[in-house]
Amino acid sequence: MNVLIIGSGGREHAFAWKIKQSKKLSNLYVAPGNAGTSVIATNVAIHPTDFDAIKKLVLEKNIELVIVGPEDPLVEGIHDFFLADEQLKSIGIIGPKKDGAQLEGSKEFSKKFMVKNNIPTAKYATFTVETLQDGFHFLESLEPPFVLKADGLAAGKGVLILDDLQAAKNELTEMLTNKKFGAASTKVVIEEFLHGIELSVFILTDGNSYKILPSAKDYKRIGEGDTGLNTGGMGAISPVPFADDAFLKKVEEQIVKPTITGLKKQDIDYKGFIFIGLMNNNGNPYVIEYNVRMGDPETEVVIPRIESDLLDLFEGVAHQTLHEKEIKISDKTATTVMLVSGGYPEDYEKGKEISNLENVATSLIFHAGTKLENNKVVTNGGRVIAVTSLANSIEEALQISFTNAKNIDFENKYYRKDIGKDLLNFVEKQS
Ligand code: AMP
Ligand code: GLY
């Protein structure tokens, strides 16, 4: 089978690495890819939302399956585009249509969906510029901290958490009246703050049946001790030691099953990943958000723990035969530490040569923001390299990731040295 992966991050490199191992694979293409994917697949310089160029490539290379990494093409309707085209409609797409992608593309849609399907989530209300005063009153009725969310996609920046009521009112005004996040903040969801510890659960579904993939915890803030600005993710661990069988059973019964049946009830034929961001509040799961794709860097710890043939599972999704497939998950712990460009998530420089990559034998190296320049691998983004290790314990896996994170080098390299450290307490408690 000829396969195309859309995207250019660590997530897409991890998909490519795994799919490359499948006996079912003939040729693998990544659009646009990075220096890491260029070694194991053919990179094609196409932007993920340039659907016409994607069509041309798919027809030219006889591609039979397309895996959509990031959310933008999904929210913009790549799956619908394929279905509406005579030449493309039989090609399998891993990723929902526009209707399903609203679970991520609109916070209001996803909150309504959860309420309709009795899925535990924070109390909320939605406001527009016309109902700004009602928004102020709603804020007054809540306890701090206050959670404000731009309804639409805002490149991961649309959620604000504020301790002070006046600051929350000011931000609400900024979002609604002054369009702080452009069209994305035409509507704003205000919700109750959930206390607890976060983790993510991932499912792969063909619309009828589903497979639960390994759970993961990521580290979103730039600074150690979860301080500073939010990033795309600075590292991840899988499995999550506090997500025991009893908790995961609750997740399946209270969240996963009603999500799948809720989509069917709304006639949303969903084929792809659902990434469920959860809060564990005293052993009870609440949904913080849905994403309609895999997480990054969560993919870099989830995929290496899947022992089954990923392409075979994807075929099951495309042909709605997922119920016939088995998914085998490794007992090992996977850790990933993200090396980033100094300055990220604010301004940073690109084009720094990356050294010592070839000397890494004990970790899996997934490229994120890299490219080849005169046959050298150079930095090409904020998040640069994910260093993933698999071992029998978190401590052991972390030690390998940190050793390699230290050795791989580029000017102004930065990484968090406390990834996973908060989870060691849970491991000690359990044993
Ligand atoms: P989201 O984009 O909805 O995942 O929000 C980004 C981050 O904000 C989440 O990963 C949480 O850390 C935090 N967050 C969002 N909603 C809430 C909430 N209701 N209570 C507490 N933290 C939240
Ligand atoms: N790591 C969080 C995300 O992919 O949204």
Side-chain angles (χ1 to χ4, degrees):
M1 196 188 327
N2 293 332
V3 176
L4 168 66
I5 299 172
I6 295 180
S8 62
R11 168 180 52 209
E12 287 76 19
H13 189 188
F15 282 148
W17 168 82
K18 180 70 181 164
I19 288 171
K20 189 73 184 173
Q21 297 164 35
S22 172
K23 289 197 185 75
K24 297 189 167 203
L25 180 74
S26 308
N27 296 305
L28 181 60
Y29 300 89
V30 189
N34 58 37
T37 62
S38 76
V39 180
I40 53 173
T42 305
N43 282 355
V44 190
I46 294 178
H47 192 274
T49 55
D50 187 349
F51 298 169
D52 290 325
I54 291 170
K55 172 177 174 177
K56 204 163 151 260
L57 176 75
V58 165
L59 295 177
E60 217 172 82
K61 304 292 183 192
N62 285 320
I63 285 163
E64 295 157 84
L65 186 80
V66 180
I67 298 135
V68 186
E71 63 277 18
D72 292 26
L74 295 168
V75 173
E76 289 187 24
I78 190 167
H79 198 150
D80 312 67
F81 174 86
F82 270 65
L83 287 176
D85 189 302
E86 275 307 312
Q87 289 173 291
L88 299 179
K89 68 180 184 196
S90 62
I91 291 162
I93 306 278
I94 305 302
K97 291 179 285 161
K98 246 181 175 171
D99 53 4
Q102 288 181 90
L103 278 183
E104 176 163 2
S106 166
K107 298 275 186 203
E108 191 195 18
F109 176 90
S110 76
K111 294 296 285 193
K112 273 196 182 147
F113 176 85
M114 287 183 249
V115 171
K116 208 183 294 174
N117 295 291
N118 273 322
I119 294 168
T121 189
K123 262 197 328 217
Y124 84 104
T126 308
F127 301 94
T128 60
V129 70
E130 287 80 27
T131 54
L132 181 64
Q133 290 302 325
D134 299 335
F136 290 167
H137 293 142
F138 187 65
L139 283 170
E140 284 159 10
S141 76
L142 297 173
E143 295 288 318
F146 304 98
V147 183
L148 307 183
K149 299 186 174 182
D151 175 57
L153 290 184
K157 297 192 173 76
V159 176
L160 301 176
I161 300 185
L162 302 144
D163 289 322
D164 178 69
L165 178 63
Q166 191 52 50
K169 288 182 176 176
N170 294 347
E171 286 294 351
L172 184 63
T173 310
E174 277 297 306
M175 288 166 93
L176 289 175
T177 312
N178 300 335
K179 299 268 183 308
K180 176 168 180 155
F181 298 106
S185 63
T186 308
K187 289 184 199 168
V188 173
V189 167
I190 302 182
E191 60 180 49
E192 167 197 34
F193 185 84
L194 294 168
H195 293 272
I197 171 159
E198 280 184 67
L199 74 154
S200 299
V201 167
F202 305 90
I203 51 185
L204 181 64
T205 179
D206 62 4
N208 291 318
S209 72
Y210 61 84
K211 302 285 179 218
I212 300 190
L213 309 180
S215 58
K217 180 177 192 296
D218 85 336
Y219 293 80
K220 288 202 170 81
R221 301 294 195 91
I222 188 71
E224 289 176 13
D226 292 328
T227 53
L229 294 174
N230 258 323
T231 70
M234 296 294 293
I237 310 287
S238 177
V240 184
F242 61 79
D244 56 17
D245 289 349
F247 178 80
L248 290 175
K249 187 86 202 146
K250 286 186 195 170
V251 173
E252 182 165 13
E253 294 303 323
Q254 297 172 16
I255 296 168
V256 175
K257 286 184 180 169
T259 298
I260 301 295
T261 42
L263 288 167
K264 279 177 80 121
K265 264 193 264 166
Q266 273 179 245
D267 278 331
I268 295 178
D269 177 24
Y270 194 111
K271 292 197 176 91
F273 292 102
I274 307 181
F275 161 165
I276 311 174
L278 293 171
M279 191 67 87
N280 176 344
N281 175 281
N282 290 321
N284 290 312
Y286 290 82
V287 177
I288 297 175
E289 64 164 351
Y290 287 110
N291 294 306
V292 298
R293 53 176 173 84
M294 280 299 289
D296 193 349
E298 291 91 333
T299 308
E300 291 93 300
V301 290
V302 169
I303 292 293
R305 291 191 58 225
I306 298 178
E307 291 176 345
S308 321
D309 180 338
L310 189 60
L311 207 43
D312 185 47
L313 291 170
F314 284 160
E315 244 186 344
V317 172
H319 300 150
Q320 288 197 312
T321 53
L322 192 59
H323 61 282
E324 294 170 7
K325 315 276 181 190
E326 288 268 0
I327 183 162
K328 206 161 168 276
I329 310 286
S330 155
D331 288 336
K332 288 207 182 332
T333 291
T335 61
T336 199
V337 173
M338 191 62 86
L339 309 184
V340 307
S341 302
Y344 172 78
E346 296 185 285
D347 290 345
Y348 55 84
E349 289 175 13
K350 295 183 186 177
K352 309 288 182 197
E353 188 177 340
I354 306 172
S355 56
N356 290 337
L357 280 173
E358 61 289 354
N359 301 330
V360 177
T362 44
S363 290
L364 297 166
I365 298 301
F366 296 121
H367 290 229
T370 69
K371 69 170 182 181
L372 278 180
E373 212 170 69
N374 305 323
N375 283 326
K376 290 193 171 123
V377 181
V378 301
T379 66
N380 190 39
R383 295 192 295 167
V384 177
I385 296 271
V387 184
T388 297
S389 310
L390 281 164
N392 290 326
S393 69
I394 296 192
E395 287 98 322
E396 211 184 314
L398 280 174
Q399 200 238 324
I400 304 168
S401 282
F402 285 127
T403 302
N404 290 318
K406 194 170 169 200
N407 287 341
I408 299 167
D409 211 13
F410 53 89
E411 200 182 312
N412 294 331
K413 172 187 76 175
Y414 169 77
Y415 60 98
R416 271 181 63 170
K417 298 182 183 61
D418 66 340
I419 300 296
K421 297 280 161 80
D422 56 327
L423 297 179
L424 298 178
N425 295 330
F426 292 99
V427 180
E428 276 157 23
K429 267 191 224 155
Q430 276 181 341
S431 51

